[in-house]
Amino acid sequence: MYAGTVNTINVTVANNGTSNKFYLDGESSTGKLELAEGATYVFDTSDSSNSGHPLLFSTTSDGTHGGGSSYTTGVTTNGVPGQSGSYIRIVVASSAPTLYYYCSNHSGMGGE
C-alpha cells in the first residue's frame, strides 16, 4: 500500500467464536494494519455482514467505547454499511497519529 495510490480493503464482520469482529481482506481485526501517509484507503463496507456495524476511526483504542472520539481528518463516508456502494474513505494525513478502527455500535470489534 503506497502513498499516492487508492487502496481498497474489503470489510466483513464475522464471529470468531467469542464475539463479532471486523475482518479486513479476510484477516482478523486483531492484527495491525499499516497505512501509508498520503495514501487513500477505501474500506468497502457493502458486504451484508456489515449491516448494523458502522466502521469508524479514532485515536483511542475502541473509539467512543474506550473514552475517545471519532477521527474525521480526511475521512469520508458513503452509504449505509451492509448495502451496495457503502464505504469509508480515508486520506492519511502527514504525521497522522496512530489510528484505531472500531464499530460505533459495539465495543471490541476493531483493531489498530
Side-chain angles (χ1 to χ4, degrees):
M1 301 196 192
Y2 304 98
T5 63
V6 176
N7 306 280
T8 300
I9 298 168
N10 293 307
V11 181
T12 55
V13 174
N15 191 293
N16 67 357
T18 305
S19 63
N20 284 336
K21 299 286 184 188
F22 282 118
Y23 285 75
L24 308 179
D25 285 338
E27 298 293 323
S28 171
S29 64
T30 57
K32 283 187 178 182
L33 176 66
E34 298 289 332
L35 303 180
E37 292 180 0
T40 300
Y41 297 87
V42 176
F43 290 80
D44 181 343
T45 57
S46 62
D47 186 86
S48 63
S49 66
N50 287 290
S51 181
H53 302 292
L55 184 141
L56 296 174
F57 299 99
S58 179
T59 57
T60 305
S61 180
D62 212 16
T64 55
H65 308 290
S69 60
S70 292
Y71 179 85
T72 58
T73 303
V75 177
T76 305
T77 60
N78 184 69
V80 177
Q83 295 183 5
S84 180
S86 173
Y87 64 82
I88 307 296
R89 179 176 56 229
I90 183 169
V91 179
V92 182
S94 295
S95 301
T98 297
L99 296 175
Y100 300 87
Y101 55 97
Y102 71 102
C103 174
S104 65
N105 290 337
H106 308 98
S107 66
M109 286 185 61
E112 182 177 346

